[in-house]
Amino acid sequence: MGAFRGSISFTKFHVRGELPADFRDRFVESIRLRAFRDLDPSEEVDSRTGWCSVEHPFDLDLSYEKVFFNDYLNLGLRTDTWRIPGSLFKASFREAERAYCAEHGCEKLSRTQKKNLEALVMAKLRHKVVPAMNVVDLSWGLGEGVVRFFANSPKQHESMIELFEKTFELELVPDGAYVAAEKRGLAERLMEKLPLLEPFTLASTANV
Amino acid sequence: MDYVDRIERARFLGREFLVWLWHESEAKEGVLTLSNGEACEVWLEAQLTLVGAEDEKSESKLKSAMPSASPEAKEALRQGKLPIKAKLRIARGTQTWGFLLNADTLSIASVQIPALLREENDEKFYERMELVETLETILDDLLGQFLELRTSETWDGRVMPQLRDWVRAA
């Protein structure tokens, strides 16, 4: 699902703030700085998020023509996560625990020993598995100041907003009735009334 | 109140917008007028989810060809529930869009766009975006009409009584 193909599902965000005069060159530079970097099994991080090409998630060399499509800025938000199956981890840990105890002549591991061994087992397993990859398309209509993010999960929104604001130094606000009213140019006196409105009910016991 | 607070505070209006749209669609036999005078057709179809204002867990999830026409749907409204998700179909001229609207975030999912004509990857993208933006323009127009009404004197004087009669009569 995304901007280029598949089913279309997205959440809209509005960009607040002015685009800098030389924004195209400047943005390419900042995107490249925050391009996705592969996870390294020896690192102690569980996941990493960064930008990739909207058309090819393995393409991390983000040049001008891969990012700008006329008046749109298109990117993929790639997140790789180590996902070690629970059963594999448990079995490997039990095996490592047995070997450790046999070697050190102990019956049970202390809390610290257990923690260290868990980290060691996890690091070993990471060399054997491939991280799970998730890619979500993002399309920024530069003229209209609207970002369409092709995922509707709040967790993915959070990580996109964080990376977007760091990369472009512009604020992103979620869409909603208030923004729609503002964009439509609802009269000032009506705009002032909006935050004061109370929800209505159609419950049959409500006052008529 | 800061900007994001104002957005959050007004979020309930998405649910009310869906009720208004549902009522308008039924009252006008699906034909609504956009601000520029153009006609568009709007139907609720296939899927409708309503939740209680006080108790979000009290949910009515209705699935049928026209769930909004079912007695259960109006009964849910009478119980004080409001729609949080609805499958809508909008047609303007020869183009038709189908999609699922989430009332709280105004996000849209599973959009069926009118048939694409272009085949090149980049061209396909521009065409998809053009069709999505057209759909958004129609939705924004309808939302704008609702908000103007909702903030006007007409709301309490005319629209609310109409909505109550509509729900009671079902």
Side-chain angles (χ1 to χ4, degrees):
Chain A
M1 106 180 155
F4 282 74
R5 60 193 72 83
S7 147
I8 302 173
S9 293
F10 64 87
T11 301
K12 212 160 101 171
F13 295 86
H14 298 268
V15 181
R16 293 192 86 202
E18 291 295 311
L19 293 176
D22 56 344
F23 74 91
R24 287 184 187 251
D25 293 332
R26 206 194 276 196
F27 283 176
V28 171
E29 214 173 291
S30 11
I31 289 165
R32 291 173 72 95
L33 274 176
R34 299 192 188 276
F36 181 80
R37 278 189 304 116
D38 282 321
L39 281 172
D40 179 345
S42 47
E43 282 178 303
E44 277 192 21
V45 288
D46 292 328
S47 71
R48 179 171 292 134
T49 298
W51 303 119
C52 65
S53 151
V54 73
E55 293 183 275
H56 307 284
F58 294 120
D59 186 353
L60 307 173
D61 179 21
L62 298 168
S63 54
Y64 187 99
E65 61 282 1
K66 290 179 195 168
V67 169
F68 288 104
F69 292 70
N70 292 341
D71 201 25
Y72 295 94
L73 186 157
N74 291 336
L75 286 167
L77 181 81
R78 178 172 160 188
T79 303
D80 279 15
T81 310
W82 290 115
R83 280 211 192 104
I84 310 289
S87 53
L88 174 66
F89 178 78
K90 274 184 199 162
S92 309
F93 180 77
R94 274 199 302 271
E95 185 66 30
E97 191 179 28
R98 258 198 303 273
Y100 185 91
C101 287
E103 195 184 328
H104 295 86
C106 58
E107 276 189 14
K108 213 178 156 198
L109 297 181
S110 70
R111 195 178 288 176
T112 319
Q113 283 171 326
K114 202 173 168 187
K115 220 176 158 189
N116 291 341
L117 195 61
E118 275 175 356
L120 208 71
V121 170
M122 192 57 93
K124 266 191 182 171
L125 289 175
R126 281 178 180 173
H127 280 91
K128 292 184 182 171
V129 297
V130 175
M133 181 177 78
N134 176 275
V135 184
V136 179
D137 291 356
L138 176 149
S139 182
W140 177 1
L142 295 158
E144 51 173 354
V146 164
V147 166
R148 293 179 185 85
F149 184 56
F150 289 76
N152 290 333
S153 118
K155 201 177 161 199
Q156 285 175 310
H157 291 170
E158 220 174 274
S159 91
M160 181 278 287
I161 291 173
E162 193 188 333
L163 189 64
F164 184 97
E165 293 186 344
K166 272 186 195 160
T167 309
F168 303 107
E169 294 175 3
L170 289 166
E171 192 190 352
L172 263 195
V173 293
D175 196 22
Y178 188 85
V179 190
E182 197 179 47
K183 286 233 160 184
R184 191 182 153 84
L186 201 68
E188 207 174 311
R189 68 187 170 81
L190 299 181
M191 280 307 290
E192 281 167 11
K193 279 179 82 174
L194 263 189
L196 306 173
L197 291 177
E198 289 299 328
F200 69 64
T201 177
L202 295 168
S204 38
T205 49
N207 293 333
V208 187
Chain B
M1 204 185 287
D2 76 14
Y3 191 68
V4 174
D5 286 340
R6 270 178 279 164
I7 295 174
E8 293 308 319
R9 174 74 186 77
R11 216 163 266 299
F12 70 90
L13 290 165
R15 297 180 185 191
E16 298 188 353
F17 168 55
L18 266 182
V19 175
W20 176 79
L21 211 52
W22 176 0
H23 171 258
E24 288 294 287
S25 167
E26 274 194 22
K28 296 176 177 164
E29 293 181 343
V31 184
L32 275 62
T33 309
L34 299 172
S35 310
N36 62 3
E38 224 180 319
C40 76
E41 292 179 51
V42 180
W43 308 276
L44 274 76
E45 59 170 23
Q47 199 178 323
L48 178 65
T49 308
L50 303 100
V51 296
E54 307 286 314
D55 177 15
E56 294 266 326
K57 284 181 191 153
S58 146
E59 186 180 270
S60 301
K61 211 170 185 172
L62 309 173
K63 279 187 181 179
S64 65
M66 290 284 280
S68 58
S70 69
E72 292 88 346
K74 297 284 168 52
E75 179 52 32
L77 289 175
R78 282 195 291 272
Q79 288 169 2
K81 293 179 183 171
L82 291 178
I84 51 159
K85 216 177 262 181
K87 182 132 197 264
L88 296 169
R89 187 156 293 274
I90 290 185
R92 194 189 65 174
T94 55
Q95 294 180 313
T96 303
W97 294 260
F99 58 99
L100 202 60
L101 180 71
N102 180 323
D104 290 347
T105 57
L106 296 183
S107 59
I108 58 179
S110 309
V111 188
Q112 294 161 289
I113 48 176
L116 292 172
L117 301 173
R118 299 172 204 163
E119 286 185 1
E120 285 293 313
N121 214 22
D122 285 8
E123 292 302 313
K124 220 190 261 179
F125 162 75
Y126 295 126
E127 193 177 7
R128 276 163 76 92
M129 293 315 285
E130 203 181 297
L131 290 166
V132 162
E133 283 165 17
T134 307
L135 168 63
E136 286 178 339
T137 307
I138 298 172
L139 259 183
D140 281 352
D141 187 293
L142 295 168
L143 178 63
Q145 291 185 38
F146 161 74
L147 290 171
E148 278 188 30
L149 260 181
R150 184 67 175 87
T151 44
S152 72
E153 309 281 309
T154 318
W155 185 264
D156 285 333
R158 185 171 59 83
V159 185
M160 251 346 260
Q162 276 177 355
L163 288 176
R164 289 205 172 101
D165 288 347
W166 168 65
V167 168
R168 234 186 275 130

